[in-house]
Amino acid sequence: MRQTRVVVVGSANMDLVATAEALPRPGETRLGTDFVTVPGGKGANQAIAAARAGAACVFLGAIGSDAFGVTLRARITAAGVDTSQLRTTYGASGVALVMVNAEGENAILVTPGANTSLTDLTETELATVRDADVLVAQLEIPVETVTEAAVAAQAAGTRVVLNAAPAVPLPPELLAAVDVLVVNENEAQAYTGRGREDPHALLDLVPRAVLTLGAEGAWYGDRDGTAVHVPAVKVDTVDSTAAGDAFTGAFAVAWGEGRDLVDAVRWASAAGAACVRRLGASVSLPHRVEIDQLYVPAS
């Protein structure tokens, strides 16, 4: 079987992750229990997730000229991602301050840094998008750039998966180019005003949608009438920070390899479950063998 070609356009951040028994309230200082520095950002995470899930993955994004940028490039490359087109811009890289409590819940503050410089794509980058099987994008970079990539992908027959996070206004031309929208409950609420109470409302925006529900699994629906709830795989949660990124990256790979979309959601759910068992973002993203171990096919 030919290796699926996935292109991810998105953000790269250095994640500064601290753990504590409970998250501090405003104005409160708490002693933490651990600290790690790991590559993150939705774009980099989803690129690593796709590569570890078995894709030939190219990452299009921007890092800074600081020490964090050097480390980001080295670690993303070491994870098996093609970073030959990853830009370096003068100044600071994106940074995420992540706090995680004993239950695996987190609070995250992101300063985008170099990610804001990705205001358009070169012809070489657009050619890479057109040559892919699946384009994956998120919204931690300018939405105009995401739109440019998605429109180019659609014109070339490349499938477009948009993880519409964080929630920002979506241009009509972007929505028109999206094949599958992936959102969580908060994002669904922001886009439709209905959230999990009526996930079908997402289909007013796009032809196919996935609503991730954390420990309750995921919902998939399309305009052909399919509506399926996929239960979550039960595991002990350590850190949920990159679970959505693991899901999205694995989903793109599964779809690109020819699985039907409901089965792709099942396999992606296994990837999300495998991810939450470890602390950190990119370091917790599972390899294909780990996903297969947790994958539960339809009975």
Side-chain angles (χ1 to χ4, degrees), residues 205-230:
L205 303 175
V206 293
R208 305 168 196 85
V210 178
L211 173 62
T212 58
L213 299 167
E216 296 179 43
W219 176 90
Y220 168 79
D222 61 40
R223 290 176 180 170
D224 294 328
T226 303
V228 179
H229 175 255
V230 175

Side-chain angles (χ1 to χ4, degrees), residues 4 8 17 23 55 65 84 107 123 138 140 191 197 234 242 252 277 288 292:
T4 295
V8 177
V17 185
L23 300 178
S65 57
S84 61
E123 184 51 44
Q138 329 73 34
E140 290 182 339
Y191 289 122
E197 297 174 4
K234 302 302 182 184
R277 298 182 298 182
R288 190 180 185 97
D292 287 338

Side-chain angles (χ1 to χ4, degrees), residues 55-249:
C57 185
V58 178
F59 179 44
L60 305 179
I63 53 177
S65 57
D66 55 3
F68 284 158
V70 174
T71 303
L72 282 168
R73 182 182 295 277
R75 293 192 185 178
I76 296 168
T77 303
V81 177
D82 181 346
T83 59
S84 61
Q85 297 181 64
L86 177 60
R87 304 181 191 179
T88 299
T89 62
Y90 180 78
S93 298
V95 173
L97 307 177
V98 184
M99 295 182 292
V100 185
N101 70 11
E103 287 73 45
E105 298 174 327
N106 60 66
I108 305 173
L109 176 66
V110 178
T111 57
N115 295 300
T116 60
S117 71
L118 199 68
T119 55
D120 57 15
L121 297 175
T122 67
E123 184 51 44
T124 298
E125 291 166 336
L126 290 171
T128 299
V129 168
R130 297 186 189 105
D131 192 47
D133 297 309
V134 184
L135 170 70
V136 178
Q138 329 73 34
L139 300 171
E140 290 182 339
I141 60 172
V143 70
E144 295 81 7
T145 307
V146 175
T147 301
E148 183 183 18
V151 169
Q154 181 191 49
T158 298
R159 298 169 179 175
V160 178
V161 176
L162 175 64
N163 176 211
V168 302
L170 300 176
E173 57 269 36
L174 173 57
L175 288 171
V178 171
D179 291 299
V180 180
L181 182 73
V182 180
V183 292
N184 65 19
E185 296 178 68
N186 292 333
E187 293 144 8
Q189 180 67 34
Y191 289 122
T192 69
R194 304 179 199 176
R196 66 182 298 165
E197 297 174 4
D198 183 14
H200 292 83
L202 293 167
L203 301 178
D204 293 336
L205 303 175
V206 293
R208 305 168 196 85
V210 178
L211 173 62
T212 58
L213 299 167
E216 296 179 43
W219 176 90
Y220 168 79
D222 61 40
R223 290 176 180 170
D224 294 328
T226 303
V228 179
H229 175 255
V230 175
V233 179
K234 302 302 182 184
V235 294
D236 293 329
T237 298
V238 174
D239 180 9
S240 62
T241 301
D245 296 331
F247 181 101
T248 302

